[in-house]
């Protein structure tokens, strides 16, 4: 029984740590794994790229064409994706919502996360 309570305590700790960073538990665990791999000398891709054609992000159905390790592509050019919040983010006061569609901004692609006050969560 003690082992079961430890698992629940660990899950609560992970959830709390993820909330403090304003990310999901999955994203938090991925960042921990990436940090551990990088510390052991394994290459970890950090920059995500989107394929841009004629000033627009190329779509495959409903999803943008993205990669962490882009290869040359005759259809267009790979531009780095930069994440931004719609307004200053404080994990104690705000939630990050699902990102808006990607947009091209010069030599980069921007993924904007809408930020809302936690008091508006059920508005």
């Amino acid at each position: 029984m003690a082992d079961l309570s430890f698992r629940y305590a660990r899950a609560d700790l992970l959830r709390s740590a993820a909330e403090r960073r304003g990310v999901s538990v999955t994203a938090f665990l991925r960042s921990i794994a990436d940090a551990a791999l990088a510390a052991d000398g394994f290459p970890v891709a950090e920059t995500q790229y989107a394929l841009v054609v004629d000033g627009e992000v190329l779509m495959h159905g409903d999803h943008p064409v993205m990669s962490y390790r882009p290869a040359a592509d005759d259809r267009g050019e790979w531009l780095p994706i930069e994440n931004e919040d719609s307004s200053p983010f404080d994990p104690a006061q705000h939630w990050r919502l699902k990102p808006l569609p990607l947009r091209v901004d010069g030599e980069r692609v921007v993924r904007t996360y809408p930020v809302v006050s936690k008091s508006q969560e059920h508005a």
Side-chain angles (χ1 to χ4, degrees), residues 14-108:
L14 289 170
R15 193 173 9 267
S16 294
E19 286 176 1
R20 265 183 288 179
R21 289 191 181 184
V23 298
S24 68
V25 173
T26 303
F28 180 67
L29 291 172
R30 186 178 306 118
S31 71
I32 291 171
D34 286 349
L37 289 168
D40 284 344
F42 292 98
V44 178
E46 295 179 7
T47 302
Q48 192 173 29
Y49 295 84
L51 186 58
V52 175
V53 179
D54 296 327
E56 299 290 327
V57 175
L58 182 64
M59 302 295 285
H60 180 71
D62 292 335
H63 305 286
V65 177
M66 299 183 296
S67 176
Y68 282 102
R69 292 185 175 86
D73 195 308
D74 294 337
R75 298 175 291 177
E77 81 176 296
W78 292 99
L79 295 180
I81 298 174
E82 296 181 13
N83 297 319
E84 293 182 351
D85 291 323
S86 61
S87 59
F89 177 76
D90 176 354
Q93 299 176 6
H94 301 103
W95 294 112
R96 277 191 183 109
L97 303 181
K98 291 181 180 178
L100 301 173
L102 296 175
R103 66 180 168 79
V104 178
D105 181 24
E107 295 297 311
R108 69 186 187 139

